[in-house]
Amino acid sequence: MSKKIAIIGSGFSGMSAAAYVAKAGNEVHVFEKHPQPGGRARQFSTEQGYVFDMGPSWYWMPDIIENFFADFGHKIADFFELISLNPQFEMIFTDDKISIPQRYEDLKDLFGRIEIGADHQLERFMQSAKFKYEVGMQDFVNKPCHNWLEFISPKIAKSAFKLDLLTNFRTYVAKYFTDKKLRALMEFPVIFLGASPKNIPALYSLMNYGGYALGTHYPIGGFYQLVLAMQNVSENEGAVFHFDHTVEKINVADGKITSLAINGKHYEFDAVIASSDYHHTEKLLPKEFRNYDEKYWQQRTFTPSCLIYYLGINESIPNLKHHTLFFENDLDEHIDCIYSEKKWPEKPLFYACCPSKTDVNVAPKNCENLFLLMPLATGIDDGEEIREKYLQEMLLRVEQHTRTNNLFSKIDYKKSYCVSDFVADYNAYGGNAYGLANTLKQTAVWKPKIRNKKISNLFYTGQLTVPGPGVPPSIISGKIAANEIHHLK
């Protein structure tokens, strides 16, 4: 029987849930506090002609994203042009740089030149990573994770040893490679999962396969093209989007949600899927109906926050790739500042994205669209003065790498985004940027539950529940939540 379903938030998980729930024949309404869809993946334009993606910029695991569109009879090509980047990205060290080629065979050759035998080791590593990717992204991540019984199957039992769940990622990488630069290169992808490689299960070598082997891609027009495409699919299935609509309270009676208070009015629904920040969603409930108390959230390990700068540069920057990782400093020192010391890093690492190297649509002619991102501890002070200090340092290092001068004086447009902005815009716990870290103790059944334990018609989706942070996992999370609606009586 058709139900009236509310989706709170229009990030990737919310739009995914909306599309699947609407396809099942339900009446679906998506409520978004901002004037546009996308959540952290919003986009904005400036008077000067720059177009900035606000969040995600790494288009990895293209098959997972393609699967979403296939479920609705579409292909990605129906909505936008997706190109494969060559090189995929460049990694900068104090005395060297590594450019990651588009073709996997070229990547093997590169490894072999850096370390004797590393080409063969990479092949062994990637064969294992491919296995983890196929099992992990097809079997593991699609589970609602109510309990461990979901994982009892001949295939998963047979695969358990090969998944390396009890080995940490750093130790695992060290079994294959000796060279420090190669180790840094292989450890880099798990930074997206929100913890040190010492605390991430080796299972997540699947990230290396989903990135390096399947390639790094870019949608012409910006990452926001994926947002618009998913909105299009959702609306085609019948979902209705309501922008500038803030959910202020969730009303409960007799163990069920009865209505949502939105912009001062009350709307009745049969069920609710919250794509909004899990902790924030729970604060919209009376205390006795929350899954978790404040102590629980304080004990979780969250992904970092970020300092982001959106910069328009009024001339071309030579020698800069679409994606560049600045790893001149020690990774562990930076990670300790995030998780142990909870302070601004003294010797930071950072990431630069320059999509204007690929896409003429995102910057005026002979200008550059430059996105700088530096991972940070959550909950720290982020005043304008300290933001500017780190902008100066990041630009200086970009200058050194590109052999340019005075980039600061060539800024045509500047906007910063940091811890307090994540809190204000997304109600993000502590100002986290990506969600809950994928440590072993926060994997699968140990993540916050996708169903409310005390309210029969409230479900959660997104980066704080299963399967975890990242764009493809968020899309999968929406599908999992939608499937839960099918079982609702």
Side-chain angles (χ1 to χ4, degrees):
M1 187 175 71
S2 176
K3 304 177 184 71
K4 187 177 181 182
I5 311 296
I7 312 286
I8 305 175
S10 68
F12 287 115
S13 63
M15 287 191 292
S16 173
Y20 286 109
V21 173
K23 183 183 179 183
N26 299 292
E27 179 184 343
V28 178
H29 295 269
V30 183
F31 296 98
E32 169 58 54
K33 66 179 282 191
H34 295 107
Q36 64 184 128
R40 286 169 168 81
R42 290 179 296 149
Q43 189 178 78
F44 71 94
S45 303
T46 74
E47 292 180 358
Q48 298 92 334
Y50 298 97
V51 180
F52 292 100
D53 284 322
M54 293 189 69
S57 57
W58 290 84
Y59 198 111
W60 277 1
M61 303 184 184
D63 56 325
I64 304 299
I65 299 173
E66 187 78 67
N67 288 344
F68 168 82
F69 291 101
D71 284 346
F72 300 92
H74 293 290
K75 293 181 289 188
I76 283 172
D78 296 336
F79 300 99
F80 54 83
E81 179 186 359
L82 187 67
I83 64 170
S84 181
L85 296 180
N86 189 24
Q88 297 188 43
F89 61 91
E90 195 163 57
M91 202 167 195
I92 309 303
F93 300 97
T94 50
D95 57 351
D96 198 5
K97 62 183 179 182
I98 299 177
S99 192
I100 306 306
Q102 178 186 39
R103 292 178 66 250
Y104 175 61
E105 289 302 317
D106 294 335
L107 182 62
K108 284 173 58 178
D109 291 343
L110 173 67
F111 272 57
R113 290 195 300 272
I114 294 174
E115 179 181 315
I116 296 173
D119 49 344
H120 302 297
Q121 290 293 79
L122 178 64
E123 181 63 21
R124 289 181 58 235
F125 184 100
M126 283 299 186
Q127 285 296 326
S128 180
K130 181 181 180 182
F131 175 82
K132 294 182 178 72
Y133 187 85
E134 290 172 346
V135 174
M137 299 309 291
Q138 292 176 17
D139 296 315
F140 265 60
V141 299
N142 291 296
K143 307 289 186 185
C145 297
H146 298 309
N147 56 65
W148 289 112
L149 294 176
E150 296 167 27
F151 296 90
I152 298 177
S153 73
K155 183 176 181 181
I156 291 178
K158 187 178 178 181
S159 306
F161 182 75
K162 294 182 180 179
L163 293 176
D164 294 300
L165 279 166
L166 300 180
T167 304
N168 75 67
F169 195 80
R170 171 154 294 167
T171 299
Y172 183 76
V173 168
K175 290 179 181 178
Y176 290 88
F177 308 105
T178 302
D179 184 85
K180 289 183 179 180
K181 293 188 288 293
L182 292 185
R183 287 186 181 183
L185 176 62
M186 299 308 283
E187 288 182 355
F188 150 67
V190 301
I191 294 173
F192 288 125
L193 301 176
S196 166
K198 294 182 289 187
N199 298 320
I200 294 286
L203 164 68
Y204 291 106
S205 62
L206 64 86
M207 293 280 289
N208 298 83
Y209 180 80
Y212 300 172
L214 298 184
T216 302
H217 300 77
Y218 174 79
I220 294 296
F223 213 98
Y224 194 63
Q225 296 305 309
L226 177 58
V227 173
L228 296 177
M230 290 184 67
Q231 180 190 9
N232 189 314
V233 168
S234 301
E235 289 179 332
N236 286 343
E237 295 297 332
V240 179
F241 284 73
H242 306 270
F243 299 110
D244 296 309
H245 278 64
T246 302
V247 176
E248 298 152 341
K249 186 180 179 184
I250 301 174
N251 299 305
V252 182
D254 299 323
K256 282 190 171 185
I257 291 176
T258 55
S259 66
L260 298 179
I262 304 170
N263 289 4
K265 297 180 180 180
H266 291 268
Y267 300 84
E268 295 182 355
F269 293 96
D270 296 314
V272 174
I273 298 177
S275 174
S276 45
D277 177 271
Y278 200 124
H279 171 264
H280 170 72
T281 303
E282 298 248 283
K283 288 180 71 176
L284 301 177
L285 292 165
K287 282 187 178 180
E288 64 269 25
F289 294 113
R290 299 173 187 174
N291 273 353
Y292 307 102
D293 58 18
E294 284 298 316
K295 184 179 179 181
Y296 171 88
W297 294 108
Q298 290 166 7
Q299 293 174 341
R300 297 308 96 188
T301 301
F302 283 83
T303 61
S305 188
C306 295
L307 169 63
I308 300 172
Y309 266 95
Y310 310 99
L311 303 174
I313 306 295
N314 62 16
E315 67 175 46
S316 179
I317 304 175
N319 309 312
L320 188 64
K321 302 296 188 290
H322 188 121
H323 295 300
T324 308
L325 302 169
F326 287 82
F327 267 56
E328 307 101 311
N329 297 322
D330 186 77
L331 172 61
D332 287 339
E333 281 187 30
H334 190 136
I335 287 175
D336 285 345
C337 289
I338 294 173
Y339 291 108
S340 302
E341 301 175 51
K342 291 280 185 178
K343 67 176 186 179
W344 285 80
E346 295 175 12
K347 297 179 179 180
L349 285 67
F350 71 98
Y351 156 61
C353 179
C354 191
S356 48
K357 293 297 182 186
T358 303
D359 190 351
V360 298
N361 301 290
V362 300
K365 189 175 181 180
N366 299 321
C367 297
E368 301 287 19
N369 175 319
L370 185 59
F371 170 103
L372 302 177
L373 182 151
M374 187 177 78
L376 284 178
T378 56
I380 60 175
D381 292 333
D382 63 345
E384 198 60 38
E385 184 176 344
I386 196 161
R387 296 187 191 194
E388 286 284 314
K389 172 182 178 290
Y390 282 90
L391 171 62
Q392 295 272 7
E393 175 168 346
M394 288 188 287
L395 281 179
L396 178 61
R397 285 160 65 183
V398 172
E399 289 175 1
Q400 291 169 347
H401 167 58
T402 59
R403 298 186 180 90
T404 53
N405 296 305
N406 303 318
L407 281 180
F408 198 88
S409 66
K410 296 165 185 174
I411 293 175
D412 201 21
Y413 176 85
K414 179 177 67 173
K415 175 184 174 70
S416 67
Y417 202 93
C418 203
V419 180
S420 58
D421 300 299
F422 281 101
V423 175
D425 282 355
Y426 311 122
N427 302 298
Y429 189 88
N432 77 84
Y434 312 114
L436 205 62
N438 266 354
T439 60
L440 180 59
K441 294 180 180 179
Q442 294 180 170
T443 294
V445 172
W446 292 317
K447 284 190 182 294
K449 295 299 183 184
I450 205 161
R451 296 189 74 144
N452 187 285
K453 303 169 188 176
K454 303 160 189 174
I455 301 170
S456 62
N457 59 346
L458 173 58
F459 307 86
Y460 306 86
T461 186
Q463 300 182 116
L464 293 183
T465 183
V466 294
V471 174
S474 291
I475 293 173
I476 292 169
S477 184
K479 185 176 184 178
I480 294 171
N483 287 336
E484 294 295 299
I485 292 289
H486 301 334
H487 305 305
L488 186 64
K489 296 179 181 179

